[in-house]
Amino acid sequence: MIRNENDYEMLPVSRQDCRSIRDTQNFTPEGAYTTFRTYDRYKVLNLSQHFSRLEETSSLAGFQISLLRLSLKKRLTEIIDQFDEGELRIRLTVDLTNEIGTIYAAIEKLTIPSLELYQNGIEVISTRMHRENPKAKLNNFLEKADEAKKSAGRDYEEIIMVNEEDEILEGLSSNFYGIQNQKIFTAEKGVLSGTTRNFILKLAEKVAIPVILEPIRLNQIGALDEAFITSTSRSILPICSIDKVKIGSKVPGELTMRLMKSFRLELEFYLEDLRY
């Protein structure tokens, strides 16, 4: 737990019953949160955007929080130094309930989908669900997401949310994209503007793939040529089926592969080092 003071005093807290970031939800107050992964130990993709999102979400919830970014980066570096070598997944939560402005940091070893899933795609299912305040990343949504996963009956890599108009919005922990006629379709309204999503949209423009900021409907998934999700930990992960409906003739498809390649090539230019 890191307090939002001038030097971000670091309070060591040991929870023997927390084996993952998911477990820490039981001990973290409601508030704004963001999750990211590290590259080369101390680097984060678009780190500044993660900090800005914490401030923006706090503002949308009625609290004006200004992060002391240099001090926060210093404390996070000190925490990372305590872990063994390897990449990490980090969740920062700003308390907006009890001690307003207190920052909680939860860290675990990074795990990403297997190579096989990147090569063959993932099966996803849909659920009738949406965020109450889609532009605010509040952790009270995490409990609802966990309930949706439990009711799915099996452990899917992702579950995508659909609104009352049968429009595909986003995943429980990702953004969703469908490709049809050489164009990318992704919802703009009613979804969280993820930092990875922003990066992907820039990549699409750079490699000349048109983006239509409109959602795909459930009755259109059979006509999709390709589909994929993006998130901080997964990067770009192809989808092979939605609700058991097969997507396209090849996974990953041509445009998805082009984006995946561009992601790897452009990544290093957008990484920010926590140490500086």
Side-chain angles (χ1 to χ4, degrees):
M1 183 167 67
I2 306 172
R3 288 193 180 278
N4 189 7
E5 298 174 352
N6 289 338
D7 62 351
Y8 284 108
E9 176 189 0
M10 187 165 57
L11 303 180
V13 178
S14 175
R15 296 285 190 183
Q16 297 300 321
D17 42 1
C18 288
R19 296 183 297 273
S20 67
I21 284 181
R22 189 173 182 177
D23 292 338
T24 66
Q25 294 169 201
N26 299 322
F27 307 100
T28 307
E30 290 189 6
Y33 80 98
T34 190
T35 307
F36 50 85
R37 60 153 293 180
T38 62
Y39 294 86
D40 297 331
R41 189 73 173 155
Y42 297 97
K43 297 176 183 178
V44 179
L45 175 62
N46 291 326
L47 177 64
S48 298
Q49 290 184 24
H50 286 279
F51 290 161
S52 294
R53 181 161 61 184
L54 285 174
E55 294 173 336
E56 179 185 9
T57 296
S58 298
S59 178
L60 289 170
F63 300 91
Q64 297 303 315
I65 303 293
S66 295
L67 299 178
L68 302 173
R69 301 189 182 199
L70 290 178
S71 297
L72 181 53
K73 287 167 66 175
K74 177 183 176 182
R75 291 307 185 190
L76 286 172
T77 298
E78 293 174 353
I79 294 174
I80 290 173
D81 285 338
Q82 298 175 21
F83 281 76
D84 295 333
E85 297 261 338
E87 305 301 354
L88 301 170
R89 181 168 176 261
I90 301 173
R91 176 176 292 164
L92 297 180
T93 304
V94 178
D95 184 356
L96 301 179
T97 307
N98 301 318
E99 298 181 55
I100 308 300
T102 294
I103 299 175
Y104 289 75
I107 301 180
E108 67 183 4
K109 182 178 179 181
L110 177 71
T111 57
I112 60 175
S114 66
L115 178 60
E116 180 182 3
L117 292 180
Y118 285 99
Q119 293 174 334
N120 300 324
I122 61 171
E123 299 177 29
V124 304
I125 60 170
S126 65
T127 184
R128 191 77 63 184
M129 184 176 169
H130 65 275
R131 294 177 187 267
E132 295 299 327
N133 189 347
K135 296 305 178 184
K137 197 166 186 179
L138 296 165
N139 63 356
N140 56 8
F141 172 78
L142 296 173
E143 184 175 345
K144 297 177 183 177
D146 282 345
E147 291 174 357
K149 292 175 184 176
K150 291 177 183 176
S151 65
R154 56 167 275 197
D155 188 19
Y156 286 93
E157 177 65 37
E158 184 59 297
I159 298 174
I160 54 177
M161 295 184 284
V162 178
N163 64 16
E164 295 300 324
E165 287 73 43
D166 281 346
E167 296 172 335
I168 298 177
L169 300 177
E170 58 188 336
L172 296 178
S173 59
S174 67
N175 286 107
F176 171 85
Y177 313 76
I179 297 178
Q180 189 175 29
N181 299 325
Q182 300 292 300
K183 298 177 183 178
I184 296 175
F185 291 82
T186 184
E188 174 72 5
K189 296 181 180 179
V191 304
L192 189 69
S193 298
T195 56
T196 304
R197 178 179 183 269
N198 294 337
F199 184 53
I200 296 301
L201 296 183
K202 289 180 181 178
L203 288 183
E205 181 179 5
K206 189 164 186 175
V207 298
I209 303 176
V211 175
I212 310 299
L213 297 178
E214 296 177 2
I216 294 292
R217 293 179 181 272
L218 281 180
N219 63 5
Q220 296 175 308
I221 59 178
L224 289 177
D225 301 312
E226 307 174 42
F228 62 92
I229 60 169
T230 65
S231 70
T232 300
S233 298
R234 304 179 186 101
S235 302
I236 300 174
L237 188 57
I239 294 173
C240 64
S241 69
I242 302 174
D243 292 336
K244 299 189 182 303
V245 177
K246 184 181 177 182
I247 304 298
S249 58
K250 179 184 177 183
V251 180
E254 176 188 350
L255 298 192
T256 303
M257 288 183 66
R258 191 191 304 178
L259 283 172
M260 293 170 77
K261 181 179 179 180
S262 181
F263 188 100
R264 292 191 294 269
L265 292 174
E266 296 289 327
L267 178 63
E268 63 178 291
F269 299 108
Y270 293 87
L271 293 178
E272 299 177 44
D273 200 313
L274 284 164
R275 297 169 294 183
Y276 306 109

